[in-house]
Short mmCIF file of all heavy atoms in Angstrom, two decimals:
data_model
loop_
_atom_site.label_atom_id
_atom_site.label_comp_id
_atom_site.label_asym_id
_atom_site.label_seq_id
_atom_site.Cartn_x
_atom_site.Cartn_y
_atom_site.Cartn_z
N GLY A 26 91.54 16.68 27.51
CA GLY A 26 91.79 16.23 28.88
C GLY A 26 92.73 15.06 29.00
O GLY A 26 93.09 14.68 30.13
N GLY A 51 91.35 18.76 14.67
CA GLY A 51 92.09 19.59 13.72
C GLY A 51 93.16 20.45 14.35
O GLY A 51 94.04 20.97 13.65
N ASP A 61 118.05 17.08 19.75
CA ASP A 61 118.52 16.07 18.81
C ASP A 61 117.46 15.00 18.53
O ASP A 61 117.74 14.04 17.81
CB ASP A 61 119.79 15.40 19.36
CG ASP A 61 120.92 16.40 19.57
OD1 ASP A 61 121.04 17.31 18.73
OD2 ASP A 61 121.62 16.26 20.57
N ASP A 110 89.05 1.78 22.70
CA ASP A 110 87.87 1.46 23.50
C ASP A 110 86.59 1.92 22.79
O ASP A 110 85.57 1.24 22.84
CB ASP A 110 87.95 2.14 24.87
CG ASP A 110 89.09 1.61 25.72
OD1 ASP A 110 89.51 0.45 25.48
OD2 ASP A 110 89.56 2.33 26.60
N GLY A 152 97.57 -1.85 19.55
CA GLY A 152 97.53 -3.26 19.92
C GLY A 152 97.09 -4.16 18.79
O GLY A 152 97.06 -3.79 17.61
N SER A 170 91.53 6.98 -4.37
CA SER A 170 92.53 7.78 -5.09
C SER A 170 92.45 7.56 -6.59
O SER A 170 92.64 8.49 -7.38
CB SER A 170 93.94 7.43 -4.58
OG SER A 170 94.09 7.81 -3.22
N ALA A 192 89.74 2.01 -16.84
CA ALA A 192 88.94 1.24 -15.90
C ALA A 192 89.13 -0.26 -16.11
O ALA A 192 89.36 -1.01 -15.16
CB ALA A 192 87.47 1.61 -16.04
N ILE A 211 75.50 0.82 -28.76
CA ILE A 211 74.59 1.68 -27.99
C ILE A 211 73.32 1.96 -28.79
O ILE A 211 72.20 1.89 -28.27
CB ILE A 211 75.30 2.99 -27.60
CG1 ILE A 211 76.36 2.72 -26.53
CG2 ILE A 211 74.31 4.04 -27.11
CD1 ILE A 211 77.29 3.88 -26.27
N LEU A 216 69.67 2.68 -26.56
CA LEU A 216 69.97 3.59 -25.46
C LEU A 216 69.74 5.02 -25.94
O LEU A 216 70.67 5.78 -26.20
CB LEU A 216 71.40 3.39 -24.95
CG LEU A 216 71.79 1.96 -24.53
CD1 LEU A 216 73.15 1.97 -23.82
CD2 LEU A 216 70.73 1.31 -23.65
N LEU A 232 79.31 2.79 -23.20
CA LEU A 232 78.61 2.22 -22.05
C LEU A 232 79.52 1.16 -21.46
O LEU A 232 79.90 0.20 -22.14
CB LEU A 232 77.27 1.62 -22.45
CG LEU A 232 76.28 1.10 -21.39
CD1 LEU A 232 76.70 -0.23 -20.79
CD2 LEU A 232 76.06 2.13 -20.28
N GLY A 251 76.49 4.79 -12.28
CA GLY A 251 77.11 6.09 -12.08
C GLY A 251 77.07 6.96 -13.32
O GLY A 251 77.39 6.50 -14.42
N THR A 274 84.33 17.28 -13.69
CA THR A 274 83.94 16.52 -12.49
C THR A 274 82.62 15.76 -12.68
O THR A 274 82.24 14.96 -11.83
CB THR A 274 83.81 17.48 -11.29
OG1 THR A 274 84.98 18.29 -11.20
CG2 THR A 274 83.59 16.76 -9.97
N ALA A 281 83.17 6.56 -9.32
CA ALA A 281 82.88 5.88 -8.05
C ALA A 281 82.45 4.44 -8.28
O ALA A 281 82.79 3.55 -7.49
CB ALA A 281 81.79 6.64 -7.30
N THR A 305 79.67 9.95 -21.85
CA THR A 305 79.62 10.81 -23.03
C THR A 305 79.97 12.24 -22.62
O THR A 305 79.93 12.59 -21.45
CB THR A 305 78.22 10.80 -23.68
OG1 THR A 305 78.26 11.61 -24.87
CG2 THR A 305 77.16 11.37 -22.76
N THR A 314 71.07 17.63 -29.59
CA THR A 314 69.66 17.59 -29.22
C THR A 314 69.18 19.00 -28.90
O THR A 314 69.86 19.75 -28.20
CB THR A 314 69.44 16.67 -28.01
OG1 THR A 314 69.75 15.33 -28.40
CG2 THR A 314 68.03 16.73 -27.49
N MET A 354 68.84 -7.55 -6.70
CA MET A 354 67.96 -7.43 -5.54
C MET A 354 67.80 -5.97 -5.12
O MET A 354 66.82 -5.62 -4.45
CB MET A 354 68.52 -8.26 -4.39
CG MET A 354 68.53 -9.74 -4.72
SD MET A 354 69.40 -10.71 -3.49
CE MET A 354 69.30 -12.34 -4.24
N ALA A 365 70.55 22.12 -7.41
CA ALA A 365 69.55 22.31 -6.37
C ALA A 365 69.90 21.56 -5.09
O ALA A 365 69.61 22.00 -3.99
CB ALA A 365 68.18 21.85 -6.87
N ASN A 380 63.24 4.37 -2.32
CA ASN A 380 61.87 3.86 -2.23
C ASN A 380 61.74 2.80 -1.14
O ASN A 380 60.70 2.16 -1.03
CB ASN A 380 61.39 3.31 -3.57
CG ASN A 380 62.26 2.17 -4.09
OD1 ASN A 380 63.15 1.66 -3.39
ND2 ASN A 380 62.03 1.77 -5.33
N ALA A 395 81.67 5.40 7.14
CA ALA A 395 82.72 5.69 6.15
C ALA A 395 83.19 7.14 6.19
O ALA A 395 84.19 7.47 5.56
CB ALA A 395 82.20 5.35 4.74
#
Side-chain angles (χ1 to χ4, degrees):
D61 300 323
D110 294 336
S170 295
I211 289 169
L216 306 190
L232 187 285
T274 310
T305 183
T314 294
M354 296 171 184
N380 59 9

